[in-house]
């Protein structure tokens, strides 16, 4: 790269062809699957008032304290590039009173998210998520249906070796007593904890369970486990969910350390982990957040959702997908007059579908056929001065190398027939 060229911001992941073809195939599969389950798409703003994330993800999380792209606009408002989608979906749910439209709202979204993390394989500063949220359903059947749907997506994409880890974080009734127990445990080990965890003991002791610092990891070994402190309702919800997953044969592992890096969860939390991904092994994650809609100013509404890391999903699915869609035919003009004659045909065919390419550069037959081969087209239609005189095109099957003649006047029709035969 030359010195004066401008590059993307570090860690901002972009998707180039042919990878973008693969992404679209996966996105289509995701959409089809979710729409089959009754989800509808939301297209959300990328930029939000900073307060939205501070109030939902939590003031004392790594995301809000250290990872957000926050700046003041020209009116001195503090704005943030969204680090995740759930807060925005809840904001939209409240802003547009979506709860009034139907009792249960199932919404999905896709797009870029932004977190100032240290870039490495599978971790970027601009990354992409496919996400979904269900509002208005408190039953553990909803949790189970959503998890089964996600497992179905992995299956559809022939992804294997993804393991579901599950936990329950309790609710407003049972979590305060657990927090107190955890607080006492952490205070006894205060000096072994990192600065962040020491600071967060009083307000948000659960964060210590999620800290990646090796000293903190060791210090929290043997910490009281939330799933031993659940109230009867939370215990019934969790065992109900586990029972349904057993019934449908979706394997899972109960993981009492799974507290997630966002504060809004209540009851079920989960992650799908893939060994093939290395250190950044969570391909999808989410859970239940029954209090968030109300905390952001809406009516009390239970909710459950997930987000898939698109880049990580593609690392698992990528090479099993077709690399690209090729044009069907190459129009190969030899000389200016043939180019002129073929141009209207090219335009007309491509008005309906992207089926032909046409070389404008007056290159040799050999080089045009080489390019057609590289593009993976089925047929090359060759027209030179002699063919123009005779009113024909030579139709070359690029796989078998067989050549036939087609009338120039009926070329469009003939090409459509060949296309339909494929
Ligand atoms: P999250 O665990 O922060 O949850 O992110 C979900 C997924 O996004 C992760 O499992 C991972 O695959 C991907 N991801 C996160 N950060 C990065 C990064 N820096 N680079 C690449 N991929 C990344 C949420 O975002 C919640 N909103 C999920 C949710 C939806 N909970 C309820 N509804």
């Amino acid at each position: 790269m030359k010195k004066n060229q401008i590059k993307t911001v570090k860690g901002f992941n972009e998707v180039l062809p042919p990878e973008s073809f693969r992404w679209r195939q996966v996105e289509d599969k995701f959409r089809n699957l979710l729409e089959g389950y009754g989800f509808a798409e939301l297209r959300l703003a990328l930029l939000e008032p900073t307060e939205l994330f501070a109030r939902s993800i939590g003031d004392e999380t790594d995301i809000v304290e250290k990872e957000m792209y926050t700046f003041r606009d020209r009116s001195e408002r503090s704005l943030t590039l969204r680090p995740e989608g759930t807060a925005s979906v809840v904001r939209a749910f409240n802003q547009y009173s979506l709860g009034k439209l139907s009792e249960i709202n199932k919404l999905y979204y896709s797009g870029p998210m932004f977190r100032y993390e240290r870039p490495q394989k599978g971790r970027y500063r601009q990354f992409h998520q496919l996400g979904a949220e269900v509002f208005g359903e408190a039953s553990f059947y909803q949790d189970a249906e959503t998890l089964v749907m996600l497992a179905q997506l992995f299956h559809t994409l022939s992804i294997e070796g993804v393991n579901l880890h599950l936990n329950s974080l309790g609710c407003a009734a049972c979590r305060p007593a657990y927090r107190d127990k955890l607080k006492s445990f952490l205070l006894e080990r205060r000096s072994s904890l990192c600065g962040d965890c020491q600071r967060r003991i009083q307000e948000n002791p659960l964060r210590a369970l999620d800290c990646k610092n090796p000293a903190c990891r060791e210090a929290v070994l043997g910490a009281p486990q939330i799933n031993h402190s659940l109230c009867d309702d939370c215990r019934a919800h969790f065992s109900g969910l586990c029972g349904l997953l057993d019934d449908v044969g979706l394997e899972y592992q109960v993981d009492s350390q799974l507290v997630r890096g966002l504060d809004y969860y209540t009851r079920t939390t989960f992650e799908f982990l893939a060994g093939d991904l290395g250190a950044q092994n969570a391909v999808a994650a989410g859970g239940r957040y029954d209090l968030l809609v109300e905390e952001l100013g809406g009516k009390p509404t239970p909710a459950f959702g997930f987000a898939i890391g698109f880049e990580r999903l593609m690392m698992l699915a990528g090479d099993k997908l077709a690399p690209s869609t090729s044009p069907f035919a190459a129009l190969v003009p030899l000389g200016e007059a043939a180019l002129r004659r073929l141009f209207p045909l090219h335009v007309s065919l491509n008005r309906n579908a992207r089926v032909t390419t046409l070389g404008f550069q007056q290159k040799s037959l050999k080089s045009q056929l080489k390019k057609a081969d590289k593009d993976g087209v089925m047929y090359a239609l060759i027209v030179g001065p002699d063919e123009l005189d005779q009113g024909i095109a030579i139709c070359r099957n690029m796989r078998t190398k067989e050549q036939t003649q087609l009338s120039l006047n009926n070329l469009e029709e003939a090409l459509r027939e060949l296309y339909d035969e494929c």
Side-chain angles (χ1 to χ4, degrees):
M1 176 167 290
K2 284 198 184 141
K3 235 175 121 191
N4 60 356
Q5 279 183 349
I6 298 171
K7 291 197 277 181
T8 48
V9 177
K10 183 179 173 192
F12 274 51
N13 191 43
E14 296 177 301
V15 188
L16 311 179
E19 189 59 8
S20 49
F21 289 106
R22 298 197 181 97
W23 276 53
R24 211 189 46 214
Q25 289 173 56
V26 172
E27 209 164 5
D28 287 348
K29 288 194 164 124
F30 174 77
R31 282 167 198 277
N32 288 341
L33 179 69
L34 269 86
E35 287 174 9
Y37 274 87
F39 284 78
E41 187 177 12
L42 253 190
R43 298 203 181 203
L44 296 160
L46 293 191
L47 204 56
E48 297 276 9
T50 303
E51 190 196 352
L52 174 66
F53 302 114
R55 275 175 54 189
S56 54
I57 297 171
D59 271 332
E60 291 182 339
T61 55
D62 279 356
I63 296 180
V64 171
E65 278 188 347
K66 303 176 189 169
E67 296 172 1
M68 296 206 304
Y69 281 89
T70 297
F71 60 94
R72 293 199 175 270
D73 71 2
R74 289 171 195 276
S75 316
E76 288 298 311
R77 276 179 296 233
S78 178
L79 301 178
T80 294
L81 277 173
R82 62 181 188 188
E84 58 110 46
T86 309
S88 300
V89 179
V90 174
R91 192 259 311 131
F93 181 82
N94 289 341
Q95 181 173 346
Y96 304 112
S97 305
L98 298 180
K100 281 191 189 152
L101 300 179
S102 70
E103 212 176 306
I104 295 175
N105 279 266
K106 293 177 158 189
L107 303 163
Y108 75 86
Y109 53 92
S110 66
M113 308 290 160
F114 305 87
R115 295 184 195 176
Y116 192 84
E117 293 191 84
R118 198 165 52 78
Q120 63 179 89
K121 184 171 172 257
R123 189 165 71 193
Y124 311 95
R125 290 180 174 169
Q126 173 174 318
F127 60 99
H128 299 79
Q129 285 185 345
L130 299 167
E133 318 289 346
V134 180
F135 296 98
E137 182 54 84
S139 163
F140 56 80
Y141 276 83
Q142 187 60 61
D143 307 23
E145 184 193 66
T146 313
L147 292 170
V148 170
M149 182 179 77
L150 263 172
Q152 199 180 329
L153 179 71
F154 299 135
H155 180 74
T156 308
L157 295 169
S158 310
I159 294 174
E160 285 167 7
V162 177
N163 300 311
L164 172 59
H165 285 229
L166 267 189
N167 195 18
S168 173
L169 293 184
C171 66
C174 53
R175 201 175 320 160
Y178 170 71
R179 272 170 49 127
D180 288 345
K181 259 196 234 170
L182 182 61
K183 234 189 260 181
S184 314
F185 176 90
L186 295 173
L187 283 171
E188 280 168 26
R189 288 154 186 80
R190 196 167 193 279
S191 58
S192 316
L193 300 173
C194 73
D196 281 344
C197 288
Q198 290 191 12
R199 194 167 40 79
R200 290 167 180 167
I201 290 181
Q202 287 306 332
E203 292 304 317
N204 203 344
L206 264 81
R207 292 275 62 85
L209 300 179
D210 192 44
C211 184
K212 302 289 175 284
N213 185 311
C216 297
R217 282 185 166 224
E218 194 168 325
V220 301
L221 286 176
Q225 297 184 359
I226 176 84
N227 45 16
H228 293 159
S229 302
L230 297 179
C231 61
D232 290 347
D233 286 349
C234 285
R235 196 168 309 122
H237 188 98
F238 195 60
S239 64
L241 168 61
C242 293
L244 290 179
L245 298 180
D246 291 337
D247 287 353
V248 296
L250 178 56
E251 286 180 18
Y252 58 89
Q253 216 171 300
V254 176
D255 180 349
S256 57
Q257 298 288 339
L258 183 66
V259 293
R260 312 269 303 118
L262 308 98
D263 280 353
Y264 48 64
Y265 293 108
T266 49
R267 294 194 169 160
T268 314
T269 54
F270 71 89
E271 286 185 349
F272 278 93
L273 304 181
D276 288 353
L277 287 176
Q280 303 304 319
N281 62 350
V283 61
R288 184 161 276 288
Y289 48 97
D290 290 342
L291 305 176
L292 185 59
V293 175
E294 194 180 1
E295 278 165 9
L296 291 180
K299 294 208 171 108
T301 308
F304 186 91
F306 68 84
I308 303 169
F310 210 149
E311 282 81 1
R312 297 183 194 178
L313 185 70
M314 293 310 293
M315 283 180 198
L316 298 172
D319 55 4
K320 293 174 199 105
L321 298 157
S324 68
T325 44
S326 306
F328 181 63
L331 303 181
V332 178
L334 301 172
E336 173 73 35
L339 173 60
R340 194 70 194 240
R341 177 72 198 263
L342 288 176
F343 186 75
L345 173 72
H346 172 60
V347 170
S348 165
L349 283 164
N350 284 4
R351 233 173 236 145
N352 301 321
R354 185 172 167 272
V355 290
T356 60
T357 61
L358 174 64
F360 302 147
Q361 299 291 337
Q362 316 254 351
K363 296 229 167 103
S364 70
L365 177 62
K366 194 173 160 199
S367 100
Q368 292 195 61
L369 287 181
K370 204 166 150 193
K371 176 156 190 320
D373 206 31
K374 200 168 153 211
D375 287 345
V377 304
M378 288 288 287
Y379 293 96
L381 296 168
I382 306 158
V383 180
D386 293 347
E387 287 74 26
L388 273 183
D389 283 349
Q390 295 167 44
I392 57 158
I394 295 170
C395 177
R396 180 181 172 88
N397 183 318
M398 296 299 287
R399 310 273 140 85
T400 63
K401 312 289 180 229
E402 223 175 291
Q403 298 199 156
T404 49
Q405 290 187 356
L406 298 174
S407 157
L408 262 183
N409 288 335
N410 292 332
L411 208 48
E412 182 161 351
E413 232 175 87
L415 207 54
R416 280 193 197 290
E417 274 171 26
L418 288 174
Y419 189 75
D420 290 341
E421 277 168 21
C422 276

